[in-house]
Amino acid sequence: MAYGKYEGVIGLEVHAHLLTKSKIFCGSSAEFGAEPNSHTCPTCMGLPGALPVLNKKVVDFAIKAGLATGCRVNKKSIFARKNYYYPDLPKGYQISQYEEPICTDGHVDVFQNGGKKRIGLTRIHMEEDAGKLVHEGTIETSTYSLVDFNRSSVPLIEIVSEPDMRTPEEAILYLKMLRDILMYLEICDGNMEEGSFRCDANVSVRKIGDPNLGTRAELKNLNSFRSIERALDHEIRRQIEVVEGGGEVVQETRLYSVPEDITYSMRGKEEAHDYRYFPDPDLVPLLIDEGWVEEIRAGLPELPIEKVERFMNQYGLPRYDSEVLTSERALADYFEETVALFGEAKMVSNWIMSELMRELKTGNVSPKAAPMRPVQLAELLTLVKDGVISGKIGKEIFPEVYAQGISPKRFIQEKGLVQISDEGALSEAVERVIAQNQKEVAEFKAGKEKLLGFFVGQVMKETKGKGNPKLVNELLLARLKGQ
Ligand SMILES: [Zn+2]
């Protein structure tokens, strides 16, 4: 999207739920979707005298995220209290990190216009989530509120970017890449509907070339890529209008309404000092030694951007294929396992991107759980490549073979779909077709050679689509030109 002589300046704050079994400061389960208030204990309910104990796994995951985004992992970090009152926050403060976060100064690279763009990360810090208020109907009309503390103290990392994005499209590229990275690391499930990956945006506008930043507004409650892109576009246009009209953008927090497709003011934007941050006296400073960091570094998987480049180099795939196949770690693994068995990377890529991905999408299934395994896909592709079945039949039987998870070889034998490559049988069909179409034969011989396609079609009809197309062509040509 272009904004004339203006550009947007976008910085994003992403909150990602970490996939630990228990919460960040107590032993309660962090699992999503349980009966309200069944995953609670005195600590995450904020009862007097209950003390927090840091979950080591949360630190492991935060270090992982930091290393995968080129951050410095700080040897010492501090937990701080962010003070505010809300009914879903029984302690009256949220335990977060403020002045000394665990990770600082990283980056995320995204592919853009055939090259790469680097988006800076200011920091990554650990914090606890708040509980959740549940209203009957909408918050405006409900006559009561219920509170569910299951989410209270579920571990989060907040990833704060530099204001390095200029358009909503860039913001989406960044968010998708960041989400892929966290999912590759297996520290976040990336589920935006359930709120495990959510985003607030700081947006301002300025004239292109102006080195100064304008006053920013914060957008909250962005929970799908589509709504983020639309909200950002809207907000940038709104601010340009304000500036063009001689007005001033106000620092405030705005909400995006999906049904109305507008942003509206929620409250004046609070400043950090409003929260009266101070180090939490219940938690000692977190000290991380080099050995801990190196142990985690050694276990890091190949990251999405590295995989895209490797797929292009190692398999000779176009960038588009490489990006699609690596969009999910399990899909990339599926591809590589199939290539290891079958060989031809581009053919595997084509079948995965069209046939397999359609089935996965229809059934909302992860590649890991697909009933058709790489060994069966490789078998199917071998049948096509060897001419046992045509590519067309391969695609026709794909949904059924996929759903049943059976051997394609057995499937085509049982259904009698094996391609006819027997010269004798095909010659008989060719003879029948020639005998029945004497007029076309004469025309062909008179020079109308494009009729070959007609004859091939007739022979395929005779063989119920099972004739080996290459052989049918050869036999027809020999017969038609030979006489
Ligand atoms: Zn608890």
Side-chain angles (χ1 to χ4, degrees), residues 434 438-449 451 455 476-483:
I434 285 185
Q438 282 301 314
K439 190 172 134 262
E440 285 78 7
V441 172
E443 283 173 21
F444 182 90
K445 287 185 175 172
K448 205 173 168 189
E449 298 209 350
L451 275 173
F455 288 109
L476 273 167
L477 272 177
R479 180 70 175 73
L480 289 165
K481 294 206 161 175
Q483 258 185 6

Side-chain angles (χ1 to χ4, degrees), residues 23 25-29 39-45 152-153:
K23 295 183 177 180
F25 298 121
C26 64
S28 304
S29 167
H39 290 170
T40 55
C41 73
T43 304
C44 56
M45 301 264 290
S152 170
S153 280

